[in-house]
Every structure is written in C-alpha cells, then in structure tokens.
Amino acid sequence: MRLFAPAKVNLALHVTGRRGDGYHLLDSIVVFAGAGDWLTLNASEALSLTVTGPRAGGVPADRRNLIWRAAELFPPGRGAAITLEKHLPHAGGIGGGSADAAAALRGLSDLWGLAMPGAEAILSLGADVPVCVAGRPMRMSGIGEVLTPLPPLPPLWLVLVNA
C-alpha cells in the first residue's frame, strides 16, 4: 500500500493565547499542498521503519519518529514494514512529520482492519496530527483539536522557502 502525506500549509495563523501546559492556542486556516512524502506499508511479522529519499538525513527510523509512535496507538501484536520516502524538509514547519503520522494511521487502520485510534490519542502525537488526518481545508483552533471543515478552495500556487 502506498500513501501520500501532503505538506500542511497555514494560509493564516494567529496565536490567540497560551495554556498553562505551554501549548499555544491557535486560529488557523490550513490547506494541503501537492508536495509531500510517501509511505509504503507492507504486512510483516514485526514493526519496522526505513527512511529513504532526498530528505532522509537526520530523520529517525525508531520510536522517535511519529510514524512509529502512531503505530503504537493500535493494540500490540501487529507488524508492518513501513518505508518513508522523505521529500519534505525535516523540521521545516509544514507538518511533514504530522502528515507522515496521519498517513501511517490511515494505512495501518486499513492494513490491520482496525478502527482509527480516538481523537485524544491522535492529538497526543502532536497538535498538527488531527488536521493532517482530516487532510482537507480546515479552520483549526484550540491547540489543534478543534477542526471546522471549509469548502474546497480554488487552486493556489505558492512558493515555500525553508530558510
């Protein structure tokens, strides 16, 4: 199974406050780009993660990776050989790791015939993961857990610079 993990782009991002636990409260308009990473999932006895691609450098292939942690949200005892083909820059601010985790959640749910983990578990991976699971234009608020669907937006050409 091959899955696309598109980059997350905040068309508008306002920090509206800060919670006592350090999380920022947000109000953001989020869309997804035509550029992204690719995940390949195959049935396997054990869980494994291989990272390839032009942006693989510095990306962990163990429990530090959100893909691995996403897999651990499912009941234990299942395996999958996962290959991440990394095209988005590591820590580039466009939700690459969150998009990868979201694609892994969708793919593993299908591969293993299991329901997706609950919203709270998904949010535990990171504030951007719920919107990446949705994978469509959204207004995102709270710390990322409040999602309001937006109508489809017209095509938009953007140039993103990772400086």
Side-chain angles (χ1 to χ4, degrees):
M1 166 183 326
R2 188 161 158 87
L3 301 147
F4 183 58
K8 176 192 69 73
V9 178
N10 295 80
L11 294 181
L13 174 61
H14 302 282
V15 177
T16 60
R18 188 176 185 137
R19 296 189 340 182
D21 60 7
Y23 277 99
H24 289 96
L25 298 171
L26 309 171
D27 187 13
S28 180
I29 302 297
V30 176
V31 297
F32 294 89
D37 297 334
W38 288 92
L39 276 74
T40 303
L41 286 74
N42 291 296
S44 178
E45 294 279 325
L47 184 63
S48 66
L49 176 61
T50 303
V51 182
T52 66
R55 301 278 185 164
V59 178
D62 56 22
R63 192 176 189 288
R64 294 172 294 162
N65 193 300
L66 285 180
I67 292 170
W68 195 285
R69 292 179 33 217
E72 289 179 337
L73 294 180
F74 291 94
R78 291 169 177 78
I82 304 170
T83 300
L84 168 62
E85 186 181 315
K86 193 73 179 151
H87 293 273
L88 298 175
H90 178 66
I94 52 177
S98 296
D100 297 342
L105 288 167
R106 286 190 301 272
L108 292 171
S109 175
D110 288 347
L111 182 68
W112 294 335
L114 296 172
M116 288 278 283
E120 190 172 313
I122 292 171
L123 183 62
S124 75
L125 294 172
D128 283 343
V129 178
V131 76
C132 290
V133 168
R136 57 166 291 195
M138 290 279 179
R139 182 173 187 179
M140 179 175 72
S141 56
I143 63 168
E145 81 282 14
V146 180
L147 302 175
T148 304
L150 297 174
L153 300 176
L156 175 66
W157 296 97
L158 299 171
V159 175
L160 301 175
V161 177
N162 185 12

